[in-house]
Amino acid sequence: MCGIIGYIGTDRNAAAVVLDGISKMEYRGYDSVGIGIWLDNSLQIQKKNGRLADLVEALGELPVSNIGIGHTRWATHGIPCEKNAHPHSDCTGRFAVVHNGIIENYAHLRKQLTAEGHHFSSDTDTEVIAHLVERYYQGSLEDAVRKTLPELQGSFALTIMCQDEPDKLVAVKKDMSLIVGLGEGENYVTSDIPAILSYTNQVYILEDYELAELTADKVKITNLKGEPVTKETFPINWDQVAAEKGGYEHFMLKEIHEQPTAVRETLRGRIKDGRIDLADLELDELFEGINKIYMVACGTAYHAGMVGRMAIEKLARIPVETDIASEFRYRDILWQPDQLMIVISQSGETADTLSALRHAQRNGVKVLAVTNVMGSSVARDADRVIYTHAGPEIAVASTKAYTTQLVIMYLLALYLAQERGTVPPAELKKLINELGEIDNALETVLHQEEKVRELATQYYNVQDTFFLGRSLDHAVAMEGALKLKEISYIHAEAYAAGELKHGPLALISDGLPVLTVITQDQLVDKAMSNVKEVKARGAVVIAICKENLQEACQECDEKVLIPDVNPLLAPIVSVVPLQTFAYYMSVLRGNDVDKPRNLAKSVTVE
């Protein structure tokens, strides 16, 4: 959600670097933006409700400074407005703080500080941090921050400037992402790797309560006691060009078209001689003796987990429960040593998923993480991690990260089946080889883009839609409905097709678009029975179906055909027309496709 960027150096204008970094974080989603720099012997802050362009316009000719911090805010405490934007300052105006996360005890701290004579100018939880630093400051920003930290309950990533010490930034985190970028005569701090990729790919990844003091010449990292911490440099191998639009109108469309490449990269080196090779991941100890798996995720990643559940149960014969991470903590789990949790998170910073991960570990259950971001909190905290290798995904609505998550689900299911001997070798080898060629099917289905765009042209003015599917197709239907809701703002409901007659059928009316996914050969007759039910009540049916099933689907009003892939692997391919449909529906309605309202890329609050 919120994004942090900080710079200190001698060769660049801090204001320009910070604004550039903010532009690289716009994909997170935000409602206000601000910058703080040291200029004319004082700390100067400029904030705007709205977009980065509004801030740039307000700044006019960029002031020149050697140190600065910036922030994009997604409102949690206090409405979106200028006074609630970051950076936040103290009573004296000597300190500037940018913050990701939530201070859970802020109301108590605010009451306490107000009684001490502090005056607050915002409605945010963040402002208490600035006043606490003011309270404890006695000439050392680092010491003041260190004394502030025990007062804070909740999650935070902080970067702080002090007017009296214009040669340093102090940064610290707990349960959030914060990264220090290393340069020559300059250093950076950020919550998002793309924000600094133009300048450096050498970083330190901060752990909880590691306090970084940045000057132009060095970075010093200490723990809460002030003891030095030795860190290894972490190289980031993302290509900055991959984070640009590359000629596409929107990042989302670019990322839809990048899916064959992303899938190839995720599969690279994993299939050898008809077998799944995960040896370098050292997963065998994790899987040994496992008799139950909890698959935990949020949103799009949850839908990938639904597919993973069915694949693992079918192939490896291990019971799997799929849970929404935000609800998982409320269950009274009967924890057992033969259980495993698999968490899925595109960003690796999803707060609810991290909470579930830590809950499992506290109860002696090991965790395997699936994420797209190296060095993310999920990746560091889990016992083992598998990366999706989708590359930077900029659009808020996930596409290529989702399909690569599906690929990981299949790799895990096939590997477990391989090691447990639960599928006949010849059948297993055939399925593995089909997975290895699934990128070709993705290339083929992308050729249906014009057909999908024409359908969007017919229906972009509707206000309601339904999505239907059975078995694996139901999981895909859920993802298709979520995509349409996220970026077109059209009401979309996804149902297991057999559930229609248990209530939702009452909502079917003349002309209502119903999108149905039909890829499971053995269920096509049942799926068509549901199609007839909605058509009898006036719905218009658009089918995403396999080529070999098109005759069986002939009663559908429109068909978008996908290649005749193995039904078990079909979700990787069948989701692409639904992603594309959502994209063009949003474009035709004039929406901000890459940054939909009210949403954020990395959901870092619970």
Side-chain angles (χ1 to χ4, degrees), residues 15 24-25 38 53 62 97 116 128-129 149 157 198 245 353 358-360 391 398 402 477 499 510 526 556 593:
K24 300 298 195 305
M25 298 187 294
W38 190 77
L62 284 187
V97 178
E116 294 175 10
V128 299
I129 301 168
L149 296 178
S198 296
K245 289 182 183 176
T353 305
R358 290 160 182 158
H359 185 37
S398 180
Y402 171 72
E499 286 296 294
D510 284 343
K526 288 187 179 295
C556 299
V593 176

Side-chain angles (χ1 to χ4, degrees), residues 54 88 121 130 153 195 212 217 241 385 558 583 587 599:
D54 301 316
H88 286 287
S121 58
Q153 297 173 14
D217 298 324
V241 175
V385 60
E558 300 281 359
Y583 169 78
V587 169
L599 299 180

